[in-house]
Amino acid sequence: MSQAVRVTDLLAAARAASGFMPDDEGRALYEAARDVPVPGPLLEVGSWMGKSALYLAAAARETGRRVVTVDHHRGSEEHQPGWEYHDPSLVDPAVGRIDTLPRFRRTIAEAGAEDVVVAVVARSETLAPLWSTPLALLFLDGSHTEESARRDQDAWVAKLAVGGTLAIHDVFPDPADGGQAPYGVYRRVLASGEFEELPDTGSLRLLRRTT
């Protein structure tokens, strides 16, 4: 099977996978990861059941990189009982808590992406102090509370290489369209003067690190 077919299959698997990323945003994420001009891995904060990881995996397959996904797989606030996106089928009855890791692993395995996706089961702020490799692309899509979004920003943005790409999902300037925590990350990053904006797609914002 040719590399082009494998990449096409990964993109098709990404479109079909369960998750919250529209295909136009997923394709934009894939293209940003494919085209990033500096060496290094691709790192995703917040993986849910693996949909966005497959878009990144397609780029990694095409360019010879690896994708590292960081998620505790216990779900964000909105996934807990009584909240809007709670799915009882994801609760592990042995511990009574959300556990998306089995679904994530199945998504990656069924797509044939286990060779390019490295899953780390941990909170992002726990892994970050142990991480020293400059990142080519950082995708922030973790919990969307103000506290956790700031924590992810503080933990990981400084690890992005100059020339690398920062991707932020669910950025909604209008509060009527969605939560404001990712938008706050986007505004703070821009205000730092260390990034320039790239074309956006839907709620996905892309920025290139310049200094």
Side-chain angles (χ1 to χ4, degrees):
M1 186 180 292
S2 71
Q3 184 187 70
V5 172
R6 290 197 300 266
V7 170
T8 301
D9 287 348
L10 283 173
L11 291 172
R15 285 193 298 274
S18 297
F20 306 106
M21 174 167 277
D23 186 54
D24 61 338
E25 296 179 8
R27 288 288 305 213
L29 180 64
Y30 152 72
E31 291 169 3
R34 179 195 63 193
D35 297 340
V36 66
V38 296
L42 318 172
L43 189 139
E44 170 185 79
V45 176
S47 302
W48 190 231
M49 291 190 285
K51 186 178 183 73
S52 55
L54 289 183
Y55 285 108
L56 293 173
R61 175 87 83 218
E62 193 167 345
T63 59
R65 300 181 193 264
R66 293 291 184 272
V67 181
V68 178
T69 68
V70 185
D71 197 312
H72 50 65
H73 288 283
R74 294 301 189 190
S76 300
E77 287 79 3
E78 65 270 21
H79 303 134
Q80 305 309 315
W83 288 68
E84 181 178 2
Y85 293 105
H86 179 61
D87 181 350
S89 72
L90 297 175
V91 175
D92 179 351
V95 297
R97 299 176 67 190
I98 294 275
D99 185 2
T100 57
L101 182 58
R103 298 279 189 94
F104 172 86
R105 293 195 65 178
R106 187 184 314 157
T107 298
I108 302 305
E110 290 179 347
E114 289 184 303
D115 60 322
V116 292
V117 177
V118 179
V120 179
V121 183
R123 294 187 173 277
S124 74
E125 69 271 20
T126 301
L127 178 65
L130 308 176
W131 188 274
S132 59
T133 303
L135 300 171
L137 179 138
L138 171 64
F139 177 43
L140 294 179
D141 193 23
S143 174
H144 290 356
T145 67
E146 181 64 30
E147 179 183 358
S148 61
R150 273 185 180 272
R151 194 164 54 231
D152 290 341
Q153 176 189 350
D154 293 343
W156 288 102
V157 170
K159 300 181 184 298
L160 188 65
V162 174
T165 299
L166 173 63
I168 309 171
H169 197 218
D170 294 330
V171 174
F172 298 109
D174 186 345
D177 295 329
Q180 294 295 283
Y183 181 58
V185 172
Y186 162 74
R187 291 294 300 271
R188 288 190 295 275
V189 168
L190 270 184
S192 73
E194 298 177 351
F195 289 80
E196 63 181 10
E197 290 187 89
L198 301 174
D200 60 73
T201 301
S203 72
L204 181 72
R205 296 294 183 272
L206 300 170
L207 305 104
R208 176 69 44 77
R209 183 162 202 164
T210 57
T211 60

